[in-house]
DNA sequence: CGCACAGTTGAGACTCATCAAACCACGTGG
DNA sequence: CCACGTGGTTTGATGAGTCTCAACTGTGCG
């Protein structure tokens, strides 16, 4: 539950980090795609890699943010606690998503960021943006694309997971979870029922009932508590049926 | 319902436009806050002011966008139509909000933008961003702040209007509508029941019932079909009661 | 005046929340 | 190793909230 805002960088990491940044570029993970070798050399020293266990928080709402974070692996949830103490999960961030960009603008964080699974992130310090503004204006376009991506994700979250009956919302959540799988046909992270309820605005009981029902229907198979295999053909077919039902 | 993507600028508007941009700056409407007089002179010629009647659309989803738009007055809704033909309103934009920024990045629009009331917008052409990148990198920070604002709005919309029972969602919508009023204590724009249902994910009947009920309770008074006076003290008190009920 | 369409209201069906109890997974200590 | 406690999950019974279908009313416009 600690917030490792500043992590002492192991000397041994300096070299691997340069390699990681280069890999990011190769894989079009985007932010530094336009950087040349020299600029990359200059920047990679400022970027730290951080590991979080499930439940650990990356930052908290209203903290004066010092960095944004790009997710390298795992799933991070962005959530808010309203005046009545209820949590609401705003959206999830997976590999190559960036969270906490508001820190780059000198603003405090707009939500809590908490690891759902084991997570690796790269820390992008606030002053990086200032340097980029000065030296590499072209990079700012990549930054802006990240903001736009976050906005697209938010809009999609709202239209997919905040609309329609509970069963359809659960099905769409499963579909979204499949996007976070490392490889196709691999087990996906299965959120706790309480997390589901905070994502889909329903009670834990309803989430539990629907997941159990979908297990019986053969849409998913659980392996342990926090992992499941999705049977994508069944899932997609069920989702289609669901959409037709309401249309008829 | 037309999309006035390119509007022939009346010669008589060139001078007033310069004045308008200057006013924007004075009122901290932000985007060009950092511009000096000369840069302002250079830019204002590229900015056109557009007027829309209620129901007219500013742009449509998937169009190859050529411009972003800053709302000068009135209310614009961002909405999507899903695969089943149902509309979902993502959020509202009012004075000083900017919509369609994805066009600045060469992307197509991510949603439809439709005027809810009579609307005045300023058109910011796509090439403006390129010029700013080249000549005034400091301005890009203002652009990024606009993206962040849109993201904050999206997050707030989700937590306020997509959570809890129907009555609370309607109350919070009324509260949000009060933010779009030109002056305090002025009549606000009252959405059609169908618009409310698309904003709050409920049926028109439920929206109608709740609005009628709130009229009887003295929370609002309608003037004609599309306008109402909100009695803020009653509204805020009702909202407080609502929050306590569920907590007890 | 009368048509078309938005808004309102009612009755019944269905979904989902609430409350309660049982079940299960996991870690702790005997 | 098992007993046990804790907290998450599942399931059931019941009621509140919301949707559906339908009728009626109000508003604006030709």
């Amino acid at each position: 539950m600690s917030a490792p805002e500043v992590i002492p960088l192991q000397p041994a990491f300096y070299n691997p980090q340069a390699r990681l940044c280069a890999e990011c570029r190769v894989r079009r993970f985007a932010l530094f795609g336009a950087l040349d070798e020299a600029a990359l050399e200059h920047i990679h020293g400022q970027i730290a890699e951080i590991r979080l266990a499930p439940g650990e928080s990356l930052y908290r709402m209203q903290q004066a943010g010092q960095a944004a974070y790009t997710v390298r692996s795992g799933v991070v949830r962005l959530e808010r606690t309203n005046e009545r103490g209820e949590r609401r999960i705003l959206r999830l961030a997976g590999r190559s998503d960036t969270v906490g960009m508001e820190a780059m603008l000198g603003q405090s964080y707009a939500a809590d960021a908490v690891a759902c699974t084991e997570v690796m992130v790269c820390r992008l310090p606030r002053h990086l943006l200032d340097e980029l503004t000065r030296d590499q204006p072209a990079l700012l376009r990549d930054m802006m694309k990240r903001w736009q991506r976050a906005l697209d994700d938010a809009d999609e979250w709202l239209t997919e997971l905040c609309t329609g009956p509970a069963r359809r919302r659960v099905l769409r959540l499963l579909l979204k979870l499949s996007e976070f799988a490392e490889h196709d046909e691999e087990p996906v992270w299965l959120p706790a029922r309480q997390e589901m309820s905070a994502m889909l605005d329903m009670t834990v009981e309803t989430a539990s009932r629907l997941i159990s029902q979908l297990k019986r229907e053969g849409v998913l198979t659980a392996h342990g508590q926090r992992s499941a295999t999705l049977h994508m053909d069944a899932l997609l077919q069920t989702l289609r049926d669901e959409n037709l039902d309401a249309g008829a």
Side-chain angles (χ1 to χ4, degrees), chain A residues 59-230:
Chain A
Y59 56 76
R60 295 202 171 276
M61 185 163 172
Q62 292 184 331
Q63 261 184 355
Q66 296 303 315
Y69 300 87
T70 294
V71 178
R72 171 165 298 284
S73 69
V75 180
V76 172
R77 64 176 193 259
L78 294 181
E79 69 182 18
R80 284 185 181 183
T81 305
N82 67 14
E83 59 281 6
R84 310 234 317 281
E86 303 162 338
R87 280 191 328 179
R88 182 79 219 255
I89 295 180
L90 300 174
R91 58 184 172 279
L92 300 176
R95 182 197 294 200
S96 87
D97 288 325
T98 303
V99 299
M101 280 182 293
E102 56 269 38
M104 294 280 201
L105 299 172
Q107 301 175 14
S108 55
Y109 292 118
D112 297 341
V114 184
C116 291
T117 64
E118 177 161 303
V119 162
M120 300 291 284
V121 297
C122 287
R123 181 180 191 276
L124 313 176
R126 173 177 166 184
H127 295 301
L128 204 55
L129 190 66
D130 299 324
E131 295 185 21
L132 294 179
T133 306
R134 222 177 30 242
D135 305 334
Q136 301 271 349
L139 276 194
L140 290 176
R141 185 171 288 261
D142 290 331
M143 278 304 292
M144 290 188 264
K145 281 189 178 166
R146 303 213 150 213
W147 255 292
Q148 183 57 39
R149 175 137 70 105
L151 200 51
D152 289 341
D153 286 346
D155 289 346
E156 190 190 325
W157 188 271
L158 191 143
T159 52
E160 300 291 316
L161 301 184
C162 298
T163 309
R167 179 177 160 92
R168 191 185 313 160
R169 301 207 302 277
V170 169
L171 284 167
R172 288 188 167 153
L173 174 62
L174 293 178
L175 192 58
K176 179 157 285 292
L177 290 174
S178 73
E179 298 172 14
F180 293 113
E182 303 289 322
H183 308 290
D184 280 1
E185 305 295 327
E186 285 289 296
V188 302
W189 164 63
L190 190 66
R193 304 302 171 266
Q194 195 152 323
E195 289 173 300
M196 289 191 190
S197 75
M199 291 188 237
L200 305 176
D201 191 37
M202 61 182 64
T203 59
V204 288
E205 290 95 333
T206 300
S208 172
R209 271 183 248 271
L210 290 169
I211 289 292
S212 301
Q213 188 185 342
L214 291 173
K215 280 183 200 166
R216 287 191 288 268
E217 294 176 15
V219 172
L220 46 47
T221 312
H223 303 99
Q225 295 274 77
R226 288 287 88 76
S227 169
T229 302
L230 298 179

Side-chain angles (χ1 to χ4, degrees), chain A residues 30-68:
Chain A
L31 182 53
F32 304 122
L35 273 186
D36 59 23
E37 291 294 335
L40 194 60
E41 278 295 317
H42 172 68
I43 279 174
H44 78 255
Q46 301 189 33
I47 298 179
E49 198 171 45
I50 297 173
R51 167 195 295 259
L52 296 176
E56 279 188 306
S57 90
L58 191 53
Y59 56 76
R60 295 202 171 276
M61 185 163 172
Q62 292 184 331
Q63 261 184 355
Q66 296 303 315

